[in-house]
Each structure stands twice: as structure tokens, then as C-alpha cells.
Amino acid sequence: MTSSASSIIHDVYEAAVTRNAGEPEFHQAMWEVLESVEAVIEQHPEYAEAAILDRLVEPERQIMFRVPWVDDAGRVQVNRGFRVQFNSALGPYKGGLRFHPSVNLGIIKFLGFEQILKNALTGQGIGGAKGGADFDPHGRSDAEVMRFSQSFMSELYRHLGEHTDVPAGDIGVGGREIGYLFGQYRRLTNRHESGMFTGKSVLWGGAEVRTEATGYGAVFFLEEMLAMRKDGIDGRTAVVSGSGNVAIYAIDKVQQLGGRAITASDSSGYIVDEAGIDVELLKQVKEVERGRISSYADRRAGARFIADGRVWDVAGDLALPCATQNELNGSDAATLIGNGVVAVAEGANMPCTPEAVHAFRDAGVLFGPGKAANAGGVATSALEMSQNASRQRWDFESSEEKLHAIMRDVHHSAYAASEKYGHPGDYVVGANCAGFVRVADAMLAQGLI
Ligand code: GLU
């Protein structure tokens, strides 16, 4: 007798939890996918026969390594580096590097796992991976960041390459870090291999719009969801968390489209600016000065800084969590719903807890999960890879138009799959099923590997 889809899914999950003990974020990301694809497993017995799910939750390769470096005081520091090459059925491994003290194997696995279906959804022929280190760039000098990055790349370089594995940035890895990492790769390999890293400076192979892409893309996705209800961004207020490049450019795009983004945050607290965030000032504080968000409020009349409390207490029509995983919980969701939120789009990876996602769904709030809503970043990375391979450079306007078209397509694929698999308008189910079917079919076709 063949097992039911539900029991297959539970068995895969239980086995993976046992095998990956102590990795709650990975378990959470895995369960969200597994419970979403039940209808697909029912309709495709061949996936279970080929153990597609069992293989999907096991990374193809995991690399962990020591990263020793010397700080400015001459002391030896030791960090741990990671690269989890999760799935390359659709293309070379692709996904960012995160430098943050919270980084551990479970967090990198959750991010790498998310990346498989996210990348599939972009339709750009890229596999899924993630990496990083438990290094904290905050408060470190440029020279320290350089020495750390060089040591990190001295191990990782042998696992990378334009046809093998192509990293990019994530939290704590921006233009400065990418420069040092790319420089060390070039030195070690004697190759100026532009296509081995994305998010590069436009001076040496980077793509226009890559910096803006995740934030812009999240707002394009939001626009598509709202359009399904004959609604839009014009005249709406948005509550945004974070103040990295995802948040900054989500705020920017909301305002370009006639909305008003009134908050931003960092680990020290959040700011409220009812007039609408001044994007140039926010960039100055966070990107140029690498300062604290309170200094935005110090310099802007009418803005206030709140050190304790939740940014989600601020009322708005739209919510864009753009900071980090599990930053918006069930009680935050209840507050937002009470304040009349209409739509939520995840700019960060898995910022909403499962309780929050269920609360939005039950309240009929439009909800765009990260693997669809924030896919614009990695999609533009794929555009960067295309330009590198063909030695072309596309201008800002045409690059933004390509990003916009990809986000419309991601929305369309997710919506169509939500209907096909019996949950119309549920973008969690839709994004997971649409991405999963692409990866599963590629894995089936390529045999048991
Ligand atoms: N770190 C980004 C993400 O979460 C971008 C990855 C990339 O461009 O490779 O999708």
C-alpha cells in the first residue's frame, strides 16, 4: 500500500529534525515548505518514489571552516565560516553570505533551503546555497574587515566559480566586504572571474539595480498583490523594519509610487517619521556613517526615535519586514491587523513567525512570503551573471524594467500555483508549490544524484 502524502511529509520532516538536531530555524523553514506541497505530492507519486523530498532536505554539500585573523590590537581572533551548497539541479549554487554574530549552521541551512525554491521561482536557472560567518563587522575597522574577508576567502575560494557556486551579499556583507572577498579570490586564482560573485561594484562587473533590487522587487510584488484587489500603493502608509539596503530601497520605491513609508529600525530601536522617511538622510546615517538609527531622528524635525517597543505598534496600511528572521511574531501580527493592515510583503528571509503568517491568512490580509517577495535581489544577481558571461552592460532603466517583469512573473507563477493546488490567493502555498515542481522535475530528469 502506498503511504498518503501527509504521512510521507511527516516522515521526511521527523527524520530531518532528528538528523539536524538543534537547528530550529531550519526546521521552521522546512516545515513551511513541506506542509505547503502536500497537494503536489498527492498528484505526483513519482516524486515520492524517487524520494525527492528526502533528497531536497539534505544539502548536496556542507562546508565549515576555521577563519583566523588578527585584529587591530594584534590579537588573534577565530571565527567559523560556512557554505551550504544545497541544491544545484537548476543551475550553479547561488545565494548570499551573511556576516553576523548569530550565524550558525542551522541559520545558514534555513537560508540555503529557502534559496532553492526562491531561486527556482525567478526562472533564472540558479541553484540554492547560503554561507557566511559568525563575524560581526559592526565596530570593526576597514582593515579588520579586510583581514577577516581575506582569511574567509582563502578557504572558500576552492569551492566557488562561475559555473559552480556564486555568492553575493546578505546581512553584514555589502559593497565593502564583496570588494575584499572578490579581490582575494582574484589574487588566489589569478583570474578576474566576474561571474563568480554578484553584487559587485559597477566599476568591475557589477550590475545596475542590484543594490536596489531586493527592496524594489518586494514593493513590485506588493503592488501585484494589491492589484489583484484593484488596490495600489498610492496614498497608502507603510511600516518598514530594518535599515539595510532591503529596507532603504523598499522605502524608496514605496515613495516613488506615491505611498508614505514612515518607519525604519535597527537593533537599537526604531524611528517614526510621519512625513515619510527621508531616504537620503537614512542612507547617510546607515550607509555612509554606519551609525545608529537614532541619529536620523536627531537630525530630522518631526521624527522620533523609540528605543524600546516594537516597530509593528505603528499603524500603517502596508507592512514590510525587511530586517531579519522571526522579527514579526503572532502578537505583532495581531497588532497590525487591529490597526487595519491590508498587505504584508517579506523583504527579509522568513521575518514572520508561523503564528504571524497564520494570523494574516486567517484575517484575509494579503501576504507575500519572502521566497517570492524578496526574490528580486537574487533575480538581479542572475541578470548580473548574464551580463558577466556576455561582457555586456545594461543601463539602469532597462535593468529595472527586467526586474519588474521578473517580479510580475514570480507573482503570476505563485498565484497560478495557489489556484492549481487548491488554495487560491495563498502565496505561501503558491510560491512553495511553483518553486518545488521546477526543482523536483529537474531532479527527476537528472537521475539519482
Ligand atoms: N542574500 C540575498 C537573498 O537572500 C541575495 C542572494 C544572491 O543574490 O545571490 O536572496
Side-chain angles (χ1 to χ4, degrees):
M1 199 186 88
T2 52
S3 326
S4 73
S6 160
S7 74
I8 291 168
I9 282 164
H10 278 92
D11 289 352
V12 168
Y13 181 70
E14 292 309 326
V17 166
T18 305
R19 184 179 272 170
N20 301 280
E23 297 177 356
E25 293 85 1
F26 177 43
H27 304 165
Q28 182 184 336
M30 199 165 42
W31 181 247
E32 188 219 84
V33 169
L34 290 172
E35 71 168 350
S36 296
V37 299
E38 191 172 325
V40 182
I41 299 300
E42 252 159 39
Q43 289 178 29
H44 294 272
E46 71 275 20
Y47 292 165
E49 257 162 55
I52 294 288
L53 287 177
D54 312 67
R55 287 194 272 151
L56 189 75
V57 299
E58 181 64 19
E60 290 176 11
R61 188 176 298 105
Q62 307 184 53
I63 302 145
M64 277 172 72
F65 50 101
R66 179 169 67 204
V67 189
W69 57 284
V70 179
D71 69 17
D72 286 348
R75 278 186 303 260
V76 174
Q77 303 276 347
V78 179
N79 287 98
R80 181 175 288 177
F82 303 87
R83 186 72 176 165
V84 174
Q85 298 177 329
F86 229 116
N87 194 298
S88 59
L90 291 176
Y93 303 112
K94 184 81 197 85
L97 297 174
R98 176 176 293 192
F99 290 170
H100 192 270
S102 66
V103 162
N104 58 39
L105 183 60
I107 287 184
I108 297 300
K109 262 192 230 166
F110 120 64
L111 290 162
F113 185 70
E114 281 287 292
Q115 206 83 42
I116 306 170
L117 300 191
K118 182 198 306 194
N119 293 5
L121 214 45
T122 68
Q124 297 294 305
I126 38 181
K130 204 81 180 194
D134 58 357
F135 169 74
D136 189 358
H138 282 291
R140 291 293 179 188
S141 68
D142 289 353
E144 288 178 317
V145 170
M146 180 181 75
R147 288 194 294 274
F148 172 81
S149 300
Q150 291 178 338
S151 179
F152 180 86
M153 189 52 91
S154 297
E155 170 58 32
L156 193 62
Y157 84 99
R158 71 191 84 243
H159 306 288
L160 306 179
E162 61 178 321
H163 300 298
T164 308
D165 184 352
V166 184
D170 195 79
I171 293 171
V173 178
R176 175 181 59 171
E177 291 75 17
I178 292 172
Y180 297 145
L181 290 162
F182 183 82
Q184 184 71 355
Y185 181 90
R186 181 167 65 78
R187 181 190 199 188
L188 290 166
T189 58
N190 194 30
R191 284 167 62 88
H192 190 115
E193 193 185 320
S194 319
M196 61 65 61
F197 215 110
T198 63
K200 302 178 296 293
S201 157
V202 290
L203 272 180
W204 33 275
E208 296 288 354
V209 190
R210 178 62 191 87
T211 312
E212 295 83 357
T214 313
Y216 278 15
V219 177
F220 290 147
F221 192 88
L222 188 60
E223 214 186 5
E224 293 300 311
M225 290 198 297
L226 288 164
M228 298 296 288
R229 293 194 182 165
K230 312 255 175 292
D231 204 339
I233 287 169
D234 193 20
R236 296 290 203 177
T237 51
V239 183
V240 181
S241 64
S243 50
N245 73 320
V246 181
I248 289 173
Y249 293 102
I251 291 169
D252 191 24
K253 186 51 77 180
V254 163
Q255 304 195 147
Q256 285 176 23
L257 295 173
R260 198 157 40 91
I262 56 172
T263 63
S265 68
D266 67 12
S267 56
S268 67
Y270 67 93
I271 50 160
V272 184
D273 186 348
E274 297 289 348
I277 299 284
D278 176 340
V279 174
E280 287 314 310
L281 178 57
L282 186 60
K283 277 196 216 167
Q284 175 65 27
V285 169
K286 297 303 297 184
E287 286 184 343
V288 180
E289 298 169 17
R290 296 181 189 274
R292 286 283 155 217
I293 198 115
S294 56
S295 95
Y296 176 99
D298 295 341
R299 284 187 247 174
R300 171 102 161 151
R304 51 186 211 278
F305 169 68
I306 294 109
D308 41 18
R310 313 278 299 164
V311 66
W312 312 119
D313 291 341
V314 179
D317 307 311
L318 312 170
L320 286 143
C322 297
T324 194
Q325 67 271 5
N326 292 330
E327 55 160 315
L328 195 166
N329 62 30
S331 108
D332 299 323
T335 308
L336 285 165
I337 292 164
N339 284 332
V341 74
V342 173
V344 180
E346 293 188 322
N349 289 311
M350 206 170 75
C352 297
T353 65
E355 295 73 30
V357 177
H358 287 120
F360 290 134
R361 182 185 296 166
D362 293 346
V365 172
L366 289 166
F367 179 74
K371 66 171 73 68
N374 75 34
V378 75
T380 307
S381 280
L383 302 181
E384 184 170 332
M385 291 161 74
S386 300
Q387 289 166 81
N388 293 150
S390 57
R391 303 191 67 80
Q392 292 184 64
R393 289 195 55 178
W394 304 336
D395 64 16
F396 192 94
E397 250 190 1
S398 64
S399 304
E400 188 180 354
E401 192 33 59
K402 287 188 173 73
L403 165 66
H404 202 162
I406 290 171
M407 294 314 294
R408 283 198 199 99
D409 186 59
V410 166
H411 175 271
H412 175 78
S413 302
Y415 193 86
S418 77
E419 283 190 318
K420 179 167 179 189
Y421 295 106
H423 297 268
D426 184 332
Y427 292 97
V428 176
V429 170
N432 284 328
C433 291
F436 174 69
V437 168
R438 290 179 190 175
V439 177
D441 285 345
M443 288 174 72
L444 263 189
Q446 291 173 24
L448 190 56
I449 46 174

